[in-house]
Amino acid sequence: MCFSSRPKLDWRFVQRFCRILKILFPSWSNQSVRMFMTLLGVTLSVQLVIYQVGLIPSQFYVVLSEKNYGKLKNLVLFAVMLILINSTLKSLDQYISSLLYVSWRKSLTEELHSTYFKGRVYYTLNVLCKDIDNPDQRISQDVERLCKQMSTMASRLLISPFTVTYYTYQCFNSAGWIGFVSIFGYFVVGSIINKILIGPIVSMLVEQEKLEGDFRFKHMQIRVNAESAAFYRAGKVEHMRTNRRLQMLLSTQRSLMNKELWLYVGVNTFDYLGSILSYIVIAIPIFAGDYDGLTPGELSALVSKNAFVCIYLINCFTQLIDLSTTVSDVAGYTTYFIGGVGSGKVHEPGLERGTPEAQRRYMSARCPRGHWRRPFLSFLSLYVPADMAFVLDRLSYKSPVSEELLVKDLTLKISQGTHMLVVGNTGTGKTSLLRILNGLWEPCNGSVEMTTCFGPRGVLFLPQKAYLTDGTLREQVIYPLKNIYPSSGSIDDERILKYLELVGLSNLLTRIGGLDTKVDWNWDDVLSPGEMQRLCFARLFYLQPKYAVLDEATSALTEEAEGQLYKACKQLGMTLISLGHRSTLKKHHDIMLRLCGGGQWELTKLKEA
Ligand SMILES: Nc1ncnc2c1ncn2[C@@H]1O[C@H](COP(=O)(O)OP(=O)(O)OP(=O)(O)O)[C@@H](O)[C@H]1O
């Protein structure tokens, strides 16, 4: 599922929001539910205390007009006590809200992570499906904002029906039905104006979020490629380009602020008119003579109480309006992303083939040897012998953005012991063939079947860009395994050291200070491209797959080093499928697949069997 339209407040939105609620409250016994219930209790108590605090000024009017010293003393003590209780409860409310925020952020982010890293969703979202901008920002920043907003607003929203009913009743008591109707009418008018003013702001907020992400991404791009940029002495151009992104962001922010100005005028007018309205609604029964029998002190107390009740009722309504703004602003887009991605229904080419069985096998790295294996994608009804890695049948494929076929009707079997070299001009689709074999892209026609598993003892891909993750040297070597072998395993240490030596990186160990030394640098910044490629080969030797697919994996090495590494691969029993431009690669392979462009290809023998 790729996202193609902007978020709307519709039925789909409600469904997605419910999905989020399910993640936040997975079961009744869940810690979040308990915390939320406590928060609800505390918020309710705060409301009760606030009501008492709100009545204090009116009581002061009475006591002061009576000049009663004894009552004044008691009232002061009562007021101080209420204020202490109020501040304690409010602080508790804030504290529980913060805890709830952390707990919700954990649940929501972990849920998103589990979908994002499932299969190859992260690849699909970042490379193939461009309809979601900056997924990283959605996961890190938007989730944070949504959880913060919800933890502060949710409990208040839930108790708002009670507070609204109670204060409506109080307002009706002191100012009659005119008071209640005027305030309700005022709220309706305020909401309509608010809705009109907020309309253009929502879409602009979404745009601003996108530009914010783009600006941050530009800085990240420079951070990751600082050395390359420095070689080009690209400071000036990068300065200009980064400033351009900043300008775009700031100009959107400025337009947003211009539009927000009218919203602020509306909101502030609404707030201050509300306080005057409270006096107008009490003025009506006073002028009508309903309270003629009251003393000036009692009348002041009534006006004060009525002002508090009316203003608080307006405040309750204002909170509801604020919440609708929050929902359409932050939650709108975030829910769109979280509800959509979190549902785990992002279309992912090849996932059917790789998941869940293949993924499990890939990560657990326990591929049985010497068995007949069931194909992942069963276009053949027969079982395929275990000495075969891929069966391609009239396979045609193209790039996702083009209609032109890169390769047409390719039929081929890749079997154990037959090393294959794939060559061809730039852009003829060599790496794309690997994407198809790996299930990252879908073929247009024909079929491709992987008849062995991913990972150790199956197939391992070394991509064109050597990828080093964060972590220790050991973690680089055992990648993508997580912790199959305990870090204290000495046998494992011996193997790792042996392979580091074999690829000519023993000095790295001395430099870093050990296999498990924690590093805080980015490996890409401290290793040369050749060292990175060598480290990837150490990884390959450590994992010892039956089939190694190498995409220009030796391009940064000398021919001599390349020869040594290929020899070591073969000694370890690997069958090689290589992509590359160097003619020296031919001698390490048995067959050669040449991609000629325009869908054409040819297969030739390099060595006699
Ligand atoms: N993610 C992508 N989205 C759209 N088009 C892509 C994507 N990746 C690659 N392409 C396009 O697909 C075509 C084949 O690319 P591929 O990477 O397979 O080339 P190649 O033969 O490996 O080239 P090289 O020898 O330079 O590595 C190219 O035209 C490329 O621009």
Side-chain angles (χ1 to χ4, degrees), residues 28-48:
W28 282 104
S29 54
N30 186 265
Q31 197 198 14
S32 294
V33 178
R34 289 199 299 271
M35 263 198 278
F36 189 68
M37 288 309 196
T38 317
L39 182 65
L40 214 58
V42 172
T43 316
L44 210 59
S45 315
V46 170
Q47 292 302 323
L48 293 177

Side-chain angles (χ1 to χ4, degrees), residues 359-572:
Q359 288 301 316
R360 189 186 63 71
R361 280 200 261 171
Y362 182 66
M363 295 321 291
S364 65
R366 278 190 204 106
C367 186
R369 266 177 199 271
H371 285 205
W372 289 64
R373 296 184 187 107
R374 216 183 199 326
F376 293 141
L377 193 74
S378 185
F379 76 90
L380 294 171
S381 55
L382 299 169
Y383 284 86
V384 178
D387 63 0
M388 200 88 71
F390 296 97
V391 182
L392 282 56
D393 186 38
R394 300 180 67 82
L395 171 76
S396 303
Y397 60 85
K398 60 180 185 60
S399 88
V401 292
S402 158
E403 284 311 307
E404 202 182 320
L405 285 181
L406 289 167
V407 165
K408 193 174 169 211
D409 293 338
L410 175 61
T411 298
L412 181 71
K413 284 179 186 167
I414 300 174
S415 51
Q416 204 175 0
T418 309
H419 307 287
M420 185 174 87
L421 177 66
V422 183
V423 296
N425 277 342
T426 306
T428 46
K430 301 184 295 297
T431 305
S432 302
L433 176 64
L434 303 194
R435 293 182 185 116
I436 296 275
L437 294 183
N438 203 327
L440 297 179
W441 289 8
E442 284 290 314
C444 308
N445 273 313
S447 57
V448 54
E449 184 175 16
M450 188 167 136
T451 53
T452 184
C453 55
F454 283 102
R457 302 188 195 127
V459 181
L460 211 83
F461 290 78
L462 285 200
Q464 204 164 9
K465 285 186 211 156
Y467 177 60
L468 300 180
T469 186
D470 59 315
T472 60
L473 183 56
R474 180 193 301 277
E475 283 164 327
Q476 303 306 326
V477 177
I478 70 167
Y479 189 85
L481 301 183
K482 284 186 283 187
N483 48 7
I484 300 292
Y485 304 98
S487 53
S488 56
S490 56
I491 304 171
D492 216 38
D493 283 6
E494 274 172 32
R495 284 185 66 221
I496 295 177
L497 298 180
K498 187 173 96 185
Y499 294 133
L500 282 175
E501 195 181 333
L502 189 59
V503 298
L505 284 182
S506 342
N507 63 334
L508 195 60
L509 198 69
T510 336
R511 204 169 112 192
I512 285 159
L515 280 178
D516 296 309
T517 309
K518 293 258 176 288
V519 298
D520 56 3
W521 60 70
N522 185 0
W523 284 93
D524 296 11
D525 294 337
V526 297
L527 295 190
S528 70
E531 282 174 326
M532 289 204 285
Q533 288 193 337
R534 283 172 191 269
L535 194 49
C536 288
F537 268 92
R539 198 177 266 175
L540 194 67
F541 296 161
Y542 175 81
L543 296 169
Q544 287 186 18
K546 261 168 108 178
Y547 298 89
V549 185
L550 313 175
D551 189 355
E552 303 196 28
T554 49
S555 56
L557 302 176
T558 60
E559 283 168 16
E560 193 191 343
E562 177 183 88
Q564 282 167 1
L565 292 174
Y566 267 84
K567 198 170 144 207
C569 284
K570 287 183 178 174
Q571 277 170 353
L572 290 169

